[in-house]
Amino acid sequence: MTDTAGTGALPVEGVSAARVLDEIRALRAADRPTHGGRLFAYVYDPGVAGLDELAQAAYAESAHVNGLDPTAFPSLLAMENALVGAAARLLGGGPGTSAPDVVGSVTSGGTESLILAVKAARDARPDLAEPRIVVPVSGHAAFAKAAHYLRVALDPVPVDPVTLRPAVADVAAAIRPETVLVVASAPSYAHGVVDPVAEIAAVAAAAGVRCHVDACFGGWTLPWLRRLGAPVPPFDFAVPGVTSISVDLHKYAYAPKGVSVLLHRDAGLRAPQFFAYADWPGYTMVNPVIASTRSGGPIAAAYATLRHLGEDGYLRLAAVTRDAVAGLADAVRAVDGLRLLAEPESTVVCFTADDPELDLFVLVDELTARGWHTQPQLAYAGLPASVHLTVTAAVAPRVAEFGPALAEATAAARAAGPVVLPPELLALAGSLTPEALTPDLIAGLAAGLGLGAGPAPDRMAAVNTLLQAAPVRLRERLLVEFVGLLQRPTW
Ligand SMILES: Cc1ncc(COP(=O)(O)O)c(C=O)c1O
């Protein structure tokens, strides 16, 4: 009998709902575990029983609602305004504060919020032919993407190799007459350190330039950690000169993917973020954000998540997370040869290796083999390679197991020894220009590293070692080529 259902997305004859769901579950089995506290990147899991079910139900209620027109779907407008109000209040804005006129928009994620912060700053200065933004190198890569998309020049500011923060004098020196935006992170994703926001905002204000605080990662944890007594420096609208703040609800607000909030100190600052168009025969269009048609699903799910957890819930989750961070940091300190790159001050644990016999990329693979999924970070501009752990509340029950696993994985990585790539390959990676990469060369490299169609190899140390040997522009090109190999249609 012919299997008319096949395995493609569009079978000749439709298949049953039960079978489709089974198929998706089978595909999902190859994924990293989104729940259970063993994945230290990509996912934010509070480990709260029943929360997923609530978010899914709320998502389903609004999945087909279209955010394109707030007058047609007032439910979505009401929930968006409530999310913006909650975020503003948490971040030093709203009635009775020094920033009573804060407004905002709900976007699809941190990247969209940052692109729009850059767009608003750029379009507020139509007089400038070549606008520029000043971003510490520890700022999220999405600022570079925004600069690229919007044709804004990027002025990177180095960070101190010990504090991992930019020097305020360097930020001030980078500001030029064409600068439209200065950026600070609270905290940086890579190392979890909070930039000197008050000082950066002050130099931006003195130059008459907007200052965006990227609190995509920390905006929903730092306020609770502060309430719990942690020494969190000022980073929000209480700081004069801060003109906009981004905070991702799909990170530490524990909402499903697809929700971030971009706040501006007042409506005048937000106005150039919008796009309106009436010069065509179709519907008059006004978009506060990049997307036009937008599902109400993520917004309703975020609304349900915030209302269900409430301030008391977030405070409790922050306390649990804080203790998990302390426990993980202790586990790192206990292993000979490993060193915290920064003392944890938010919800990131980031460590490096001081021992040349201990290859961090091999260690990451050994941890993966034991069911612990961490994130390797390549050496960059004088900063050593490191391992990043995003810590969420669901990690807490796992902390006691992590220490022995880390010790065991470190011993295994030492025993295995560092990755040794053929010297000619390393020399090639170090000297090749992106333009010199031919399809044959890429295919040869990919095959040698076990990359190609199909899932990525279990062990990525060789890939990371090769990328690390390459200059930044070549790293980027190799990444594009390797992911291009993965993104091929199935027939
Ligand atoms: C500080 C910071 N900014 C921006 C982003 C980008 O967010 P997204 O992945 O939601 O686009 C991230 C993501 O980790 C982040 O940590």
Side-chain angles (χ1 to χ4, degrees), residues 455-477:
D458 290 339
R459 295 198 167 249
M460 295 293 284
V463 176
N464 287 319
T465 305
L466 180 79
L467 288 172
Q468 183 163 264
V472 167
R473 293 285 96 84
L474 183 61
R475 286 180 188 177
E476 292 163 355
R477 177 71 196 283

Side-chain angles (χ1 to χ4, degrees), residues 25 154 159 251 255 360 389 483:
R25 286 186 195 112
L154 184 68
V159 295
K251 292 192 169 76
L360 274 186
L389 310 184
V483 171

Side-chain angles (χ1 to χ4, degrees), residues 42 44 107-114 138-143 145 184-190 212 214-218 246 248-251 257-260 348 375 388 390:
Y42 313 115
Y44 298 79
T107 74
S108 64
T111 299
E112 186 177 357
S113 290
L114 300 186
S138 54
H140 196 274
F143 287 109
K145 180 172 173 179
S185 303
S188 64
Y189 176 81
H212 180 81
D214 179 5
C216 284
F217 190 85
S246 49
D248 291 356
L249 304 186
H250 64 199
K251 292 192 169 76
K257 304 272 181 269
V259 201
S260 169
V348 172
Q375 196 169 48
H388 168 107
T390 286

